[in-house]
Amino acid sequence: MTTQSRTAPAVPSAPQALDAIIIGAGFSGLYQLHKLRDELGLKVRVLEKGAGVGGTWFWNRYPGARCDSESYYYCYSFNKAIEQAWSWSERYPEHTEIRKYLNFVADRLALKRDIQLDTEVTSAAFDDGTNLWTVQTVAGETFQAQFLITAVGCLSTANVPKFKGLENFKGDWYHTGNWPPEGIDFAGKRVGQIGTGSTGIQVAPVLAKQSKHLTIFQRTANYSIPARNRPVTPDEVELTRKNYDDVWRRARSGTNGHPFSMSSQSAVSVSDEERRAIYEKAWERGGLRFRASFKDILENEKANETASDFIREKIATVVEDAKVGEMLTPRDHGFATKRPPIDSGYFETFNRDNVLLVDLKAEPIVEVTEKGIRTSNQEYELDIIVFATGFDAFTGSLLRLNITGSHGYALKEAWAAGPRTYLGLQTPKFPNLFTITGPGSPSVLCNMPIAIEQHVDWITGCIRDMLASGLTRIEAEPAAAEQWVEQVNDAANATLLPMASSSWYLGANVPGKPRVFMPYAGGFARYANICNDVTRSDYRGFARS
Ligand code: NAP
């Protein structure tokens, strides 16, 4: 753990009165603070568990941690001066540079004076009599406000599998999403890495270079596209600055908040030669844009198989040992039905002499021992274990806030069978509580800053309208939430996304978690239109008083 939350005083303090409380100081919390404080003139406090701003990027400091959206559009679009003043150094910025950017924004807008760091929220309770939220922290502080906005991110609660015997391990272990800021010295160490998702695929090549030996424990083989990361040239920076209006227009008009458009061609409508040439070009260009090569990669199984096969062939070409190459080849799900990673030399890593791949489907982990990890076949001796095992996505960080809504109704109870929201923005019986990029919104299927800005703008407009009309309470109607849950399911079922049965989109990575497809897969532009339409129709589906 990298921070020390303030501890409780002997005597609890009196509640501090605010207009709005925001939990989290990442991309969402910073922008929401700016909008409510500087545009609406509200008294706002951001409560942040970490010792600095950055959210996801405060905690994810593992070697190789980079963003998968290209830097020129993995940033805010709301402020021209900031947009024109900042320059990214690489195509995919490293975590340090993203933190620097978020600090730059926070300083530029003088946000830090209203952000309380090292402050972990322990509970949030709504009072039907006053329509106020009361928020308590580990330190025993109490805050009260009419509006509560969670800006806790979708991937903030680490998922550390409960392996038998972990407490007996004599070496050190770390989760990638909770990395010590001082870093870890891997020199001369035997390292075990569990997990080969986006994180595992980023961290493995660096661990292999820094350690004496790396054993990678893989449960599910994954597809990955080369990132082709490189420095950004001054000419590119200049050109982007000139074209930013167009960049943002394209990002907002598409499916995933990226400024590239999906091909209008079907993968099964072109000849084999043509298709291969298109995939080769996309492979050479690198990055998430690969999945935009054809319009139906995520809609049509045959089309998907062409992309999956192409990547399988690439794996076989890159990995020198055919047996290892086969172990690394995904066969149980189609490309991009789980979040597709991008990499810098992931498959090449397995050609190194100091790297060993263990297939957990063939030899599952039995226990962690004093010396390392024992599978059903043998014991692997390790000095350090790195858990790249992902997150209790979407709901984990919201449920641990211990939120109780109208008449003491607990969010844990409301979401016992999986999250049920209206537009991902509100949950019935939780008045005046807004969730930025919550379950039921496009969120993780998008370039996040675009999804975040759309939510913050909508929430700000909603609060502005309430204040102008003298309203004090807004609550999603149960029928609207039921209909929205159906729409979220329909949107997912129109794609191949639900096919990947072990996906964290479904909550399948956390034992015991209800299997519900959580993000809205109907596309960013369509979703934003629905939200705008709700506003125009006098907040249809919300009860306001
Ligand atoms: P993830 O995609 O959930 O991957 C977790 C990995 O750990 C999977 O390989 C999983 O195997 C494995 N695992 C989980 N529990 C296990 C167990 N009990 N035993 C063995 N293996 C186990 O998590 P992630 O890689 O941290 O990525 C999560 C998301 O974060 C990404 O999809 C992406 O949206 C985001 N992310 C973004 C970036 C970026 O933008 N640069 C970087 C990293 C992450 P199974 O597949 O079999 O479940």
Side-chain angles (χ1 to χ4, degrees):
M1 189 59 96
T2 52
T3 61
Q4 284 271 294
S5 271
R6 296 151 195 238
T7 44
V11 184
S13 58
Q16 300 179 47
L18 300 157
D19 298 315
I21 298 164
I22 299 167
I23 306 175
F27 266 99
S28 323
L30 295 180
Y31 182 42
Q32 187 68 80
L33 168 60
H34 169 60
K35 292 290 277 187
L36 294 183
R37 187 193 69 180
D38 302 335
E39 277 189 31
L40 301 194
L42 301 187
K43 193 172 173 201
V44 187
R45 181 82 49 88
V46 176
L47 306 178
E48 165 57 55
K49 184 178 168 194
V53 304
T56 289
W57 299 104
F58 178 82
W59 302 101
N60 281 269
R61 298 167 186 243
Y62 59 87
R66 290 177 186 283
C67 126
D68 282 355
S69 289
E70 294 193 41
S71 52
Y72 72 94
Y73 60 88
Y74 191 76
C75 48
Y76 293 115
S77 72
F78 70 87
N79 185 303
K80 275 271 159 246
I82 288 173
E83 171 195 284
Q84 295 294 315
W86 182 262
S87 309
W88 293 104
S89 67
E90 289 181 280
R91 184 177 179 191
Y92 299 100
E94 230 192 332
H95 61 97
T96 36
E97 192 172 10
I98 304 174
R99 270 197 307 283
K100 222 165 134 188
Y101 169 73
L102 289 170
N103 275 283
F104 167 78
V105 173
D107 289 336
R108 191 97 182 199
L109 299 175
L111 298 178
K112 288 182 181 169
R113 64 171 190 260
D114 292 305
I115 300 172
Q116 188 169 315
L117 300 173
D118 297 322
T119 301
E120 185 173 351
V121 169
T122 52
S123 69
F126 183 74
D127 182 331
D128 289 284
T130 57
N131 286 337
L132 294 179
W133 280 95
T134 299
V135 171
Q136 292 202 303
T137 71
V138 165
E141 285 176 291
T142 307
F143 301 89
Q144 273 183 341
Q146 187 179 357
F147 299 106
L148 175 63
I149 298 140
T150 61
V152 293
C154 304
L155 296 157
S156 313
T157 300
N159 169 41
V160 180
K162 293 185 175 53
F163 290 122
K164 183 180 155 207
L166 181 57
E167 66 286 1
N168 301 328
F169 183 53
K170 294 272 191 248
D172 296 319
W173 65 266
Y174 305 91
H175 187 281
T176 48
N178 210 350
W179 205 256
E182 65 278 11
I184 298 164
D185 185 4
F186 289 102
K189 306 283 189 201
R190 297 163 303 171
V191 181
Q193 173 190 322
I194 305 176
T196 53
S198 301
T199 301
I201 279 175
Q202 284 188 336
V203 76
V206 191
L207 290 183
K209 282 185 201 135
Q210 292 183 355
S211 65
K212 181 174 160 202
H213 188 271
L214 174 65
T215 307
I216 299 181
F217 296 87
Q218 168 193 276
R219 190 164 67 179
T220 306
N222 216 337
Y223 299 92
S224 183
I225 307 295
R228 313 265 182 230
N229 188 34
R230 57 171 178 76
V232 175
T233 66
D235 284 352
E236 285 173 316
V237 171
E238 225 19 70
L239 191 66
T240 306
R241 281 188 181 151
K242 275 194 198 131
N243 290 331
Y244 254 127
D245 288 348
D246 190 45
V247 168
W248 299 130
R249 186 191 54 72
R250 283 185 284 130
R252 290 200 189 90
S253 60
T255 310
N256 300 107
H258 294 263
F260 50 78
S261 45
M262 186 71 73
S263 162
S264 56
Q265 277 185 312
S266 158
V268 288
S269 70
V270 294
S271 70
D272 290 354
E273 295 70 34
E274 233 179 304
R275 188 187 312 113
R276 171 160 286 279
I278 289 169
Y279 281 143
E280 285 290 357
K281 198 170 159 206
W283 185 263
E284 282 317 307
R285 188 175 45 217
L288 291 175
R289 195 169 167 181
F290 183 90
R291 73 184 158 177
S293 300
F294 293 102
K295 66 173 183 184
D296 48 1
I297 287 179
L298 258 183
E299 287 164 13
N300 173 324
E301 283 189 47
K302 281 203 175 108
N304 185 278
E305 198 57 16
T306 65
S308 304
D309 275 344
F310 177 85
I311 303 169
R312 289 177 190 134
E313 279 174 36
K314 286 290 181 194
I315 298 171
T317 319
V318 173
V319 182
E320 288 160 7
D321 182 325
K323 202 168 148 232
V324 175
E326 181 50 35
M327 279 160 70
L328 287 165
T329 302
R331 304 233 177 247
D332 63 350
H333 66 285
F335 166 66
T337 57
K338 292 171 96 165
R339 160 70 149 74
I342 63 173
D343 70 275
S344 297
Y346 175 65
F347 293 114
E348 290 82 350
T349 297
F350 296 90
N351 296 334
R352 295 175 63 102
D353 292 338
N354 70 333
V355 174
L356 175 71
L357 178 66
V358 175
D359 177 3
L360 296 180
K361 290 253 162 78
E363 46 171 315
I365 293 176
V366 175
E367 62 175 335
V368 178
T369 64
E370 281 189 11
K371 290 185 185 163
I373 291 177
R374 190 197 309 282
T375 67
S376 57
N377 277 12
Q378 68 176 90
E379 184 177 25
Y380 296 88
E381 292 194 7
L382 305 166
D383 302 307
I384 298 175
I385 301 174
V386 172
F387 287 91
T389 43
F391 302 89
D392 183 354
F394 293 104
T395 53
S397 305
L398 292 165
L399 292 177
R400 75 176 175 191
L401 294 174
N402 293 314
I403 297 174
T404 47
S406 186
H407 303 291
Y409 190 50
L411 191 63
K412 280 191 181 81
E413 216 179 313
W415 287 2
R420 305 185 82 75
T421 71
Y422 182 37
L423 300 169
L425 283 161
Q426 273 214 334
T427 299
K429 299 205 174 98
F430 295 83
N432 298 356
L433 169 67
F434 297 98
T435 309
I436 303 175
T437 62
S441 74
S443 58
V444 296
L445 299 178
C446 272
N447 172 39
M448 286 304 285
I450 289 286
I452 286 167
E453 286 189 337
Q454 186 264 339
H455 259 191
V456 170
D457 290 345
W458 191 92
I459 293 166
T460 307
C462 173
I463 292 176
R464 180 193 289 120
D465 290 348
M466 283 179 69
L467 297 176
S469 314
L471 301 172
T472 55
R473 178 169 169 142
I474 178 166
E475 185 178 351
E477 289 168 354
E482 289 311 308
Q483 279 168 18
W484 184 247
V485 168
E486 264 177 49
Q487 283 196 56
V488 172
N489 287 332
D490 290 348
N493 290 332
T495 72
L496 301 178
L497 288 166
M499 271 177 63
S501 57
S502 68
S503 160
W504 58 262
Y505 293 156
L506 277 164
N509 62 325
V510 177
K513 192 166 170 168
R515 296 213 173 184
V516 174
F517 193 87
M518 290 179 278
Y520 174 70
F524 174 80
R526 189 193 300 175
Y527 173 82
N529 281 338
I530 295 171
C531 291
N532 292 340
D533 190 48
V534 165
T535 308
R536 278 192 298 269
S537 61
D538 207 18
Y539 293 91
R540 184 182 66 236
F542 289 99
R544 301 189 307 155
S545 55

